[in-house]
Amino acid sequence: MAYQDDLQATINDVSQSGRGILAADESSPTIAKRFRAIDVESTEDTRRIWRSLLLTAPGLGQYISGVILFEETLNQQTEMGTPLAAAAWSQKIVPGIKVDKGKVPLALCPGDFITEGLDGLAARLKGYWDQGARFAKWREVYAIADAIPSASGMDANAEMLARYAAVCQSEGIVPIVEPEVLMDGNHTLARCAEVTEAVLHAVFHALQRHHVVLEHMLLKPNMVLPGTAQAKASPEEIAEATLKVLRRSVPAAVPSIHFLSGGQSPEEATANLNAVNCADGTAPWRLSISYGRALQQPALHAWNGKTENMQAAQQALLKRARLNSLAMRGAYTPDMEAS
Ligand code: 5MM
């Protein structure tokens, strides 16, 4: 296959000990929702200001190896006129791009979703490469209910992820494969484990059918958690359940697993990552992050849309990035939150 060296170089740059991925690829409706919480209107310029603030945080590259951007951001510049992708590269942070076009209901499968965006993907990827992106992200979403996700839903979503990943690799772009089992609902931790395992099995079977090179992809799964309407589980319980599912379903050839935060608080997401890394030093993959909310939320509130808060916001981002970096080594303790 062409591009083997390019794909391996990107894996080497992104999959690193103590460094993770910042997900800053909120689509327009999602970023508008995040900004509404701090009473900031979402415009092209406020989004540019916010995302430049994140990417120019001094020293962020020490903890963050990659950033997932929304397409609009690839065309934007800092106040100083530096393209945002170049600002990321200057901190040795590899820019990536969300290439899916969002989810819609899966026809004739009530409660299941499917993500769109495959048409014209190869041509779009060539353009993103020219703009500096070296990896991509595609997210499929699975809700949990009694008979959901259905077998057809799991098959259809796995097929989409695999077809996307194959197109990416054929264009020299490393695919992040993101099957997200949602935490909303009244399901137990055991039910989340059962669904996550079935989802991951379907995804890796489809990746194999589509000849995706596992060494040249990254996985972005949910942790195994009880539903939001249930009592919370301890970090140790979450780590045990998550590792059990991952060991049963993710081949050792995958270089790293970058968890999404999925609605966990920033502190919970860090404590749970730490527990996963403490549980067992023999996991075959790096256990890292690709957090969106759990990295950005405290910074967003510190910023509050005001120029004078920029530095405080960057410090809040750096704090979360640093604590998660420690958690990647199992060296985080909750008392560090006070520092
Ligand atoms: C940053 O949010 C991403 C895009 O979401 P939308 O398409 O809904 O706007 C999302 O895919 C994100 O990368 C993952 O869900 C991980 O983010 P969290 O906040 O769950 O860590």
Side-chain angles (χ1 to χ4, degrees):
M1 198 205 282
Y3 301 121
Q4 293 297 303
D5 292 349
D6 290 326
L7 292 165
Q8 188 59 52
T10 300
I11 290 290
N12 295 346
D13 287 344
V14 176
S15 176
Q16 293 200 350
S17 171
R19 294 173 85 213
I21 297 173
L22 166 65
D25 59 312
E26 297 85 354
S27 57
S28 303
T30 305
I31 194 74
K33 187 169 147 195
R34 305 274 183 266
F35 280 6
R36 221 173 294 130
I38 55 164
D39 218 11
V40 169
E41 190 189 351
S42 175
T43 65
E44 194 177 334
D45 205 44
T46 53
R47 294 191 291 271
R48 182 188 66 77
I49 291 167
W50 169 241
R51 286 163 172 163
S52 340
L53 177 160
L54 297 175
L55 292 174
T56 59
L60 186 66
Q62 197 180 332
Y63 315 114
I64 296 295
S65 57
V67 59
I68 314 172
L69 303 173
F70 189 56
E71 188 172 6
E72 172 191 71
T73 315
L74 266 186
N75 298 311
Q76 291 182 321
Q77 302 183 345
T78 65
E79 287 302 309
M80 307 300 286
T82 309
L84 288 184
W89 274 118
S90 73
Q91 297 218 54
K92 295 196 167 33
I93 299 173
V94 182
I97 172 87
K98 182 236 285 297
V99 297
D100 69 65
K101 300 280 185 189
K103 64 177 168 51
V104 294
L106 180 62
L108 303 186
C109 293
D112 285 320
F113 302 106
I114 194 84
T115 298
E116 298 185 311
L118 276 183
D119 287 355
L121 180 58
R124 283 163 57 210
L125 289 172
K126 289 184 205 304
Y128 299 144
W129 174 283
D130 292 341
Q131 289 175 289
R134 292 294 177 269
F135 68 92
K137 190 200 86 173
W138 184 291
R139 171 173 170 243
E140 294 289 340
V141 179
Y142 309 76
I144 299 186
D146 283 349
I148 291 172
S150 67
S152 350
M154 280 191 279
D155 284 350
N157 280 280
E159 190 69 11
M160 289 300 261
L161 282 167
R163 288 182 60 198
Y164 139 80
V167 176
C168 285
Q169 289 190 345
S170 73
E171 295 297 328
I173 297 270
V174 166
I176 295 187
V177 171
E178 180 180 1
E180 176 174 5
V181 177
L182 298 172
M183 61 193 278
D184 313 73
N186 189 28
H187 53 270
T188 60
L189 180 100
R191 172 77 175 134
C192 179
E194 176 186 58
V195 170
T196 304
E197 187 177 335
V199 162
L200 289 173
H201 276 302
V203 167
F204 279 97
H205 277 119
L207 290 167
Q208 195 266 342
R209 274 199 306 279
H210 285 268
H211 315 293
V212 172
V213 178
L214 300 183
E215 288 82 353
H216 291 162
M217 61 158 277
L218 301 168
L219 180 70
K220 176 167 174 168
N222 52 286
M223 291 183 189
V224 174
L225 304 164
T228 44
Q230 293 268 337
K232 286 190 192 299
S234 70
E236 291 70 28
E237 289 167 325
I238 291 165
E240 188 187 344
T242 301
L243 284 167
K244 185 171 181 183
V245 165
L246 293 176
R247 284 187 183 287
R248 287 177 169 188
S249 50
V250 182
V254 174
S256 52
I257 293 180
H258 297 260
F259 294 106
L260 58 91
S261 57
Q264 299 171 68
S265 73
E267 295 79 7
E268 282 168 352
T270 308
N272 291 337
L273 176 73
N274 189 69
V276 163
N277 276 297
C278 281
D280 179 349
T282 64
W285 340 264
R286 279 185 215 295
L287 294 163
S288 181
I289 59 165
S290 175
Y291 289 165
R293 284 163 286 182
L295 279 173
Q296 292 187 52
Q297 233 168 34
L300 189 69
H301 287 272
W303 174 52
N304 213 15
K306 298 192 174 69
T307 316
E308 62 268 28
N309 294 339
M310 239 186 89
Q311 282 189 356
Q314 290 181 326
Q315 287 309 314
L317 171 68
L318 288 168
K319 175 179 173 182
R320 292 266 48 98
R322 181 174 57 81
L323 294 180
N324 280 296
S325 171
L326 289 167
M328 286 170 218
R329 302 191 179 99
Y332 162 85
T333 51
D335 59 292
M336 292 172 177
E337 294 291 344
S339 67

